[in-house]
Amino acid sequence: MLDNKSIASFAEMRRIVAEFPGPDRDAATTTRAREGQLTKPAGALGRLEELALWLSTWQGKAPPAINHPRVAVFAGNHGVAALGVSAFPAEVTRQMVLNFTHGGAAVNQLCKNADADLRVYEMSLDQPTRDFTQEPALGEVDAARAMAYGMMAVEPGIDLLCLGEMGIANTTAAAALAAALFGGTGTDWAGPGTGVQGAQLSRKAEVIDLGLARHRASFDDPFAIMACLGGHELAAITGAVIAARVARVPVLLDGFASTVAAAVLLKLDPHALDHCVVSHCSAEPGHRKLLEKIAKKPLLDFGMRLGEGSGAALCIPILRAAALCHSGMATFAEAGVSDKG
């Protein structure tokens, strides 16, 4: 297990990423061999077969299983919310956290459907990040601490981690992160988020461009980009992805914000997200662009843009089906069914 108290620095985070474990090739070999013996034509279950292999490879066991999935939702507030980039005020973040706690949000229902554990992590809601058009949203120490806090979501016993977020104005921060990491302007990456359009959407793109201009000198360091333009909840997601890799827990990412928080790691290691699958393509236009940049194919495209881990929770039954089909199907020999000649 990682000692989260001792790793709250970017240098230590970089060291952990540099020492990431790779895929478990023995588990993958065993899974491929069994897959070829199951009572179906080769490839007949399509992407379910790919997902079973992916689960086995990153859980490090064959056959794979999903018995204890966790949905982790990180909530944080953003200083740029005061600049008119969202259709809702910043206090909605806390109100939605209470809604999660009382079981009234969409993600609560989706977790019930998936028989998944839901954990909600409040992150300094009374202390929003600073306005990134004027100064870094977070200092290095605060950003690293948020990453270390996110690592706490990876507790012993869970076998799938789903990552979501809640935070008014966090699509502005996410779009700024995407532009800093992969190039482009506020107009290229800004989307409606909570429902802004027209002049308010233009204002959102302008705020992103102001942030990019302010912090361009830091763009050679992905963790510095997170500190300058991100947020507590986004940094926590980055940390959770790191801890999941070390603990061999496969990850389901939710929408635009959680995906870009994870994508920070690609600038350190092109294989840093091999243990992650993107659950769905958000209706937020920047998400589709981002998925092309990081070469990830989402499981679903349902036009969702809610956040709060909803798309990831919705996909847990799909991954469970992949694992059960692989582990529960009979082989040709077991079933007494003739294989192809």
Side-chain angles (χ1 to χ4, degrees):
M1 293 296 293
L2 295 169
D3 179 2
N4 304 101
K5 294 181 180 180
S6 67
I7 58 178
S9 73
F10 286 170
E12 186 62 12
M13 295 292 178
R14 292 188 192 96
R15 184 194 66 77
I16 295 170
V17 173
E19 296 176 359
F20 268 177
D24 189 314
R25 301 193 185 282
D26 289 341
T29 297
T30 301
T31 298
R32 285 194 187 95
R34 176 173 172 77
E35 192 69 44
Q37 301 169 20
L38 299 179
T39 47
K40 59 179 177 57
L45 287 179
R47 197 166 181 192
L48 288 180
E49 297 179 15
E50 297 172 15
L51 290 170
L53 177 61
W54 171 77
L55 283 168
S56 180
T57 297
W58 292 105
Q59 287 182 341
K61 64 181 183 181
I66 297 178
N67 297 315
H68 302 289
R70 168 166 295 173
V71 178
V73 179
F74 296 94
N77 274 321
H78 294 260
V80 291
L83 302 182
V85 298
S86 175
F88 289 87
E91 54 262 32
V92 168
T93 302
R94 182 174 294 282
Q95 292 164 359
M96 280 303 299
V97 167
L98 289 174
N99 194 29
F100 299 147
T101 302
H102 295 151
V107 70
N108 297 96
Q109 319 322 314
L110 293 166
C111 285
K112 289 178 184 177
N113 177 65
D115 191 23
D117 170 35
L118 173 64
R119 297 291 178 90
V120 181
Y121 301 87
E122 295 184 44
M123 302 196 65
S124 303
L125 297 186
D126 294 328
Q127 296 179 312
T129 61
R130 295 182 286 273
D131 174 0
F132 66 51
T133 70
Q134 302 299 316
E135 57 186 319
L138 295 165
E140 175 175 340
V141 171
D142 286 340
R145 284 176 177 169
M147 294 168 70
Y149 182 75
M151 291 177 166
M152 294 169 59
V154 186
E155 295 179 5
I158 65 171
D159 47 29
L160 177 70
L161 181 66
C162 303
L163 294 173
E165 38 61 42
M166 174 64 211
I168 295 301
N170 70 9
T171 57
T172 302
L177 285 173
L181 290 167
F182 299 104
T185 66
T187 300
D188 295 328
W189 290 98
T194 52
V196 301
Q197 55 187 329
Q200 199 172 16
L201 181 57
S202 296
R203 173 58 175 162
K204 185 174 183 176
E206 178 188 16
V207 166
I208 293 166
D209 285 336
L210 289 170
L212 295 175
R214 171 72 64 178
H215 302 293
R216 198 166 299 279
S218 299
F219 286 4
D220 60 342
D221 180 350
F223 288 159
I225 290 172
M226 174 62 78
C228 289
L229 298 169
H232 295 103
E233 83 282 26
L234 301 179
I237 288 171
T238 306
V241 172
I242 292 172
R245 178 64 165 260
V246 174
R248 290 207 171 275
V249 177
V251 172
L252 262 180
L253 298 169
D254 188 37
F256 181 40
S258 62
T259 305
V260 77
V264 166
L265 298 172
L266 287 177
K267 293 298 180 175
L268 295 172
D269 178 354
H271 296 288
L273 301 188
D274 287 359
H275 66 303
C276 301
V277 162
V278 178
S279 60
H280 74 118
C281 181
S282 169
E284 190 72 9
H287 198 205
R288 193 175 301 276
K289 183 191 299 286
L290 178 62
L291 294 178
E292 293 172 357
K293 294 287 187 181
I294 68 174
K296 289 284 188 182
K297 181 181 178 182
L299 297 181
L300 301 175
D301 191 348
F302 276 13
M304 299 168 65
R305 57 181 179 87
L306 180 61
E308 67 186 41
S310 54
L314 182 61
C315 287
I316 294 171
I318 295 175
L319 291 185
R320 185 175 276 129
L324 288 172
C325 283
H326 179 82
S327 63
M329 286 182 68
T331 65
F332 284 102
E334 291 167 345
V337 174
S338 298
D339 199 349
K340 62 184 180 181

